[in-house]
Amino acid sequence: MKFEFVQDTDLILGSTMYYTKQEGIIISGSFNKDKDEAYAIFEKLSSGIPLRKTEVLETKTLQKPSQE
């Protein structure tokens, strides 16, 4: 699996953001203005440590009423 640590500089505003990409897809929650903090997230993600734990607590399916 390929992980990339990315620096993105806005040339108009002059601000810089750092984030992690996995297989070319930006990892939500990895954005940070602080390079060291962003790199710490990159290190964890690229070591297989998940950024967060998500658990589905309940699922409901809405059935459309029949149109007779």
Side-chain angles (χ1 to χ4, degrees):
M1 204 171 286
K2 179 180 175 183
F3 289 88
E4 298 171 301
F5 183 59
V6 179
Q7 173 180 309
D8 190 342
T9 303
D10 185 316
L11 299 177
I12 294 173
L13 298 176
S15 61
T16 301
M17 292 294 294
Y18 303 91
Y19 55 89
T20 300
K21 282 185 173 183
Q22 178 183 352
E23 299 295 331
I25 299 172
I26 298 171
I27 302 295
S28 174
S30 69
F31 282 90
N32 206 304
K33 286 186 175 186
D34 184 278
K35 185 177 183 178
D36 293 333
E37 289 180 23
Y39 191 76
I41 293 169
F42 166 75
E43 286 281 291
K44 289 178 183 178
L45 289 170
S46 62
S47 297
I49 300 170
L51 189 59
R52 66 179 59 85
K53 178 182 176 185
T54 303
E55 183 178 350
V56 176
L57 299 177
E58 184 176 342
T59 302
K60 291 184 179 183
T61 304
L62 178 63
Q63 304 260 341
K64 289 184 178 181
S66 61
Q67 297 181 5
E68 295 178 22

